[in-house]
């Protein structure tokens, strides 16, 4: 199944080149009778400066697609282009470098280092890469995620929501071209989840960031500008300006 969905205009100023383009991406796990076709020729564009959610029933290929888009897994066929760089076909070393320099990640597990303070955790990727800290940008990120009075705390002294905000600030501070978020609110209660989603959206609207988020939660998806729906390894539908209701209805119709 092949489907092509052009990117919608982002909320901010229109920018021509998409942040990420997948063309006819396929992914097969295993071989012979045991082969699982997790992605079947997915073509999709993700606009720069937009917040896009990827949804679909369990097993539809959401995680596989995210991993292929972010260079965390290889594709079986097709191309993935990040900005001006084709990432499919890059060797391990160049891929690792590209991920480190150009992509930010937020996972369900916060993955913070327990012995470091919030500020040290946020700055660690920049330090590991030998890059200078842009203090004005750091301050802007800290204000958007609301962590100003928690910077000296260690993860164990922070709530789950605060820890995920630290993880988001860590992803934002190096100004990656794209942030991939994999079920970022999966470990949070609904209030903390709403806070995290609120500032992910603010980082797109106010700071021009690009976010691609995998989620199974219609409320989380409603924070995005656009939702693309997968079923059986193919993109089958999309919604612009989603609400929890429109997302839930579409999901139900896909699960039938
Ligand atoms: P989702 O994230 O939508 O739940 P996944 O991308 O995890 O879906 O999985 C898509 C399909 O690929 C499923 O049928 C799943 O069982 C299969 N799959 C995912 N990862 C592997 C793997 N490492 N080996 C074999 N099959 C896999």
């Amino acid at each position: 199944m092949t489907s092509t969905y052009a990117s919608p205009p982002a909320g901010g100023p229109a920018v021509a080149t998409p942040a990420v383009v997948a063309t006819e991406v396929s992914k097969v796990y295993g071989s012979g009778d045991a082969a699982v076709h997790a992605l079947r020729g997915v073509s999709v564009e993700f606009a720069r400066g937009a917040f896009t959610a990827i949804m679909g029933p369990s097993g539809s290929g959401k995680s596989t697609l995210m991993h292929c888009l972010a260079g965390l897994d290889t594709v079986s066929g097709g191309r993935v282009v990040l900005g001006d760089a084709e990432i499919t076909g890059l060797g391990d070393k160049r891929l690792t470098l590209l991920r480190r320099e150009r992509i930010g990640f937020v996972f369900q597990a916060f993955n913070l280092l327990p012995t470091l303070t919030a500020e040290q955790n946020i700055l660690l990727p920049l330090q590991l890469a030998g890059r200078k800290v842009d203090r004005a940008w750091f301050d802007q990120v800290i204000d958007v995620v609301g962590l100003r009075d928690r910077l000296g705390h260690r993860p164990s002294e922070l709530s789950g929501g605060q820890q995920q905000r630290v993880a988001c600030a860590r992803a934002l501070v190096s100004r990656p071209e794209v942030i991939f978020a994999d079920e970022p609110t999966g470990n949070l209660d609904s209030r903390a989840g709403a806070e995290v989603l609120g500032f992910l959206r603010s980082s797109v609207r106010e700071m021009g960031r690009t976010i691609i988020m995998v989620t199974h939660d219609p409320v989380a998806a409603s924070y995005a500008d656009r939702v693309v729906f997968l079923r059986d390894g193919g993109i089958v539908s999309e919604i612009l300006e989603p609400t929890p209701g429109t997302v839930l209805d579409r999901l139900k119709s896909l699960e039938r």
Side-chain angles (χ1 to χ4, degrees):
M1 196 186 329
T2 303
S3 32
T4 305
Y5 286 88
S7 40
V15 182
T17 28
V20 182
V21 180
T23 309
E24 289 288 317
V25 169
S26 61
K27 178 71 184 180
V28 184
Y29 292 109
S31 59
D33 285 350
V36 176
H37 293 264
L39 297 176
R40 303 167 185 265
V42 171
S43 295
V44 61
E45 294 186 4
F46 296 92
R48 218 175 274 278
F51 187 178
T52 310
I54 299 174
M55 291 206 87
S58 176
S60 59
K62 301 183 291 295
S63 305
T64 304
L65 178 59
M66 195 202 99
H67 289 161
C68 291
L69 294 174
L72 291 167
D73 201 352
T74 56
V75 302
S76 306
R79 282 157 46 97
V80 176
V81 175
L82 172 82
D84 57 359
E86 178 170 352
I87 66 171
T88 30
L90 283 186
D92 272 355
K93 259 193 178 163
R94 291 183 60 195
L95 204 49
T96 304
L97 208 62
L98 178 135
R99 276 200 309 265
R100 191 189 298 157
E101 292 180 347
R102 297 173 62 173
I103 299 178
F105 291 97
V106 178
F107 295 104
Q108 183 170 343
F110 317 130
N111 298 325
L112 302 178
L113 290 181
T115 55
L116 300 186
T117 65
E119 177 162 350
Q120 289 166 337
N121 267 289
I122 293 166
L123 295 178
L124 187 64
L126 284 180
Q127 280 164 353
L128 290 176
R131 283 168 61 187
K132 266 197 156 161
V133 179
D134 174 343
R135 273 285 151 185
W137 176 252
F138 175 84
D139 282 341
Q140 200 181 337
V141 168
I142 295 309
D143 287 337
V144 165
V145 299
L147 280 171
R148 177 76 50 204
D149 57 350
R150 292 286 184 278
L151 288 176
H153 291 57
R154 294 208 164 75
S156 60
E157 299 161 342
L158 299 172
S159 68
Q162 289 166 342
Q163 289 183 58
Q164 190 62 311
R165 287 196 250 164
V166 173
C168 292
R170 178 178 58 186
L172 283 164
V173 83
S174 60
R175 296 183 202 245
E177 281 173 51
V178 186
I179 292 177
F180 288 96
D182 192 357
E183 300 281 5
T185 56
N187 280 339
L188 303 178
D189 62 36
S190 58
R191 210 186 110 229
E195 281 170 12
V196 165
L197 290 160
F199 77 70
L200 284 178
R201 184 167 59 187
S202 301
S203 74
V204 171
R205 302 237 166 118
E206 293 163 27
M207 306 198 296
R209 301 291 90 199
T210 302
I211 298 181
I212 301 173
M213 171 177 76
V214 168
T215 181
H216 70 277
D217 175 4
V219 174
S222 73
Y223 282 77
D225 302 310
R226 171 187 180 221
V227 185
V228 296
F229 293 87
L230 280 171
R231 185 170 66 181
D232 298 332
I235 293 184
V236 290
S237 176
E238 74 172 358
I239 296 180
L240 303 181
E241 296 178 24
T243 66
T246 56
V247 173
L248 191 59
D249 287 348
R250 191 68 60 92
L251 262 188
K252 278 188 189 154
S253 74
L254 293 180
E255 279 165 0
R256 256 180 228 137

